[in-house]
Amino acid sequence: GAVVSQHPSWVICKSGTSVKIECRSLDFQATTMFWYRQFPKQSLMLMATSNEGSKATYEQGVEKDKFLINHASLTLSTLTVTSAHPEDSSFYICSAINRDNEKLFFGSGTQLSVL
Amino acid sequence: DAKTTQPPSMDCAEGRAANLPCNHSTISGNEYVYWYRQIHSQGPQYIIHGLKNNETNEMASLIITEDRKSSTLILPHATLRDTAVYYCIVRVGVTGGGNKLTFGTGTQLKVEL
C-alpha cells in the first residue's frame, strides 16, 4: 500500500482562491519532505524542501509567498497555493524520505486546475 | 547531485527483458543510483537503488559498472503495465547530507504486444 498519502488527488478552483494540498507519511517519520510540480510531458521540477519545525527551503525562481509550505509534524507537510491563477495549473507531487532505509517515496500527486 | 543521461525512449516486446541504460559519468563516491518510474498522471514509484553492488528485488535488477559511471535497470519480463517513464537519478544518501532528487527527462518505455 501507499506509504505517502497526498490529498486531494485533483482540485478545480477559481482564479484568486487558495488551495491547500496535504502530504502525509503513513508508516514512517519524515523530517524532510519535498514538493515538486510537473507540467504536461515534462519532468518533475523541485519547488521546495520542507523541514519539520523550520522554514522551507525554496528553489530559485519559486515564490515563497505564493507557495506556502508548512511542516508542522513529522508526518505531515502542506503546500498552499495562494491566490491561484491559471498559470499555476499543474501536477503537484510531494515526497518524503524514510531515514531508516534511505528510500524516498512519492505521493500520488495532485492535479490542480485553476479556471 | 551528478547529472544523468538516458535515452529518451525505448520499445520492448511483452515478455522480453527491458534493459534501460543510464550514464552518470560524474558520480561521486558517496552518491547512490536510484531508479523510479512514473505512469501517466501518477506520482513516481520507487523501483530500486544501489551504491556499488548489483541489486535485485521483486521488481527489477540494477547493474552498476565497476567504475560506477553507468548503470542498467533490467525488467526481466516486461508487461504492458511496465509502460512508463523511467528516471535514473544519482544523489548523496541521507546520511551524506544530500537529500534532493533532481529529475532528468527519463526514458519513455513502451511495452508492446
Side-chain angles (χ1 to χ4, degrees), chain A residues 3-83:
Chain A
V3 295
V4 174
S5 173
Q6 188 172 340
H7 179 82
S9 56
W10 59 270
V11 58
I12 301 172
C13 70
K14 293 182 179 180
S15 185
T17 61
S18 294
V19 175
K20 180 184 285 189
I21 302 170
E22 292 188 349
C23 182
R24 294 179 184 271
S25 57
L26 297 182
D27 56 3
F28 64 92
Q29 293 183 335
T31 55
T32 304
M33 292 185 176
F34 304 94
W35 288 95
Y36 293 82
R37 66 187 298 181
Q38 184 177 33
F39 292 106
K41 298 189 183 300
Q42 294 187 22
S43 188
L44 284 78
M45 182 187 76
L46 179 65
M47 298 175 65
T49 301
S50 171
N51 301 295
E52 188 269 335
S54 64
K55 292 182 178 180
T57 303
Y58 290 81
E59 296 299 303
Q60 191 173 8
V62 179
E63 300 176 58
K64 62 180 181 180
D65 295 329
K66 173 77 172 176
F67 300 99
L68 300 178
I69 291 173
N70 184 278
H71 193 157
S73 77
L74 287 171
T75 59
L76 174 64
S77 176
T78 61
L79 168 68
T80 301
V81 182
T82 62
S83 187

Side-chain angles (χ1 to χ4, degrees), chain A residues 36 38 43 99 102 104 107, chain B residues 34 36 38 43 91 94 101 104:
Chain A
Y36 293 82
Q38 184 177 33
S43 188
R99 289 184 172 268
E102 302 275 339
L104 187 145
Chain B
Y34 281 76
Y36 288 81
Q38 186 180 26
R91 73 169 178 98
V94 173
L101 275 183

Side-chain angles (χ1 to χ4, degrees), chain B residues 13-15 20 32 37 50 60 67 69 76 81-82 99 101 107-108:
Chain B
E14 189 178 34
L20 293 94
Y32 290 76
R37 71 180 182 184
D67 63 6
K69 293 185 177 182
R81 287 178 294 181
D82 292 322
N99 294 327
L101 275 183
T107 296
Q108 171 67 64

Side-chain angles (χ1 to χ4, degrees), chain B residues 5-86:
Chain B
T5 304
Q6 298 176 253
S9 64
M10 292 183 66
D11 294 333
C12 178
E14 189 178 34
R16 304 296 293 269
N19 299 303
L20 293 94
C22 179
N23 287 324
H24 31 80
S25 58
T26 60
I27 192 171
S28 300
N30 59 349
E31 288 184 309
Y32 290 76
V33 180
Y34 281 76
W35 283 85
Y36 288 81
R37 71 180 182 184
Q38 186 180 26
I39 297 170
H40 182 61
S41 296
Q42 296 182 25
Q45 176 189 23
Y46 168 83
I47 300 174
I48 199 167
H49 77 287
L51 183 62
K52 296 180 182 178
N53 300 321
N54 298 337
E55 302 287 345
T56 296
N57 62 20
E58 65 277 5
M59 291 183 69
S61 295
L62 173 61
I63 308 299
I64 303 173
T65 58
E66 192 169 343
D67 63 6
R68 301 208 324 122
K69 293 185 177 182
S70 65
S71 61
T72 301
L73 178 74
I74 301 173
L75 307 178
H77 305 287
T79 69
L80 297 177
R81 287 178 294 181
D82 292 322
T83 293
V85 178
Y86 287 77

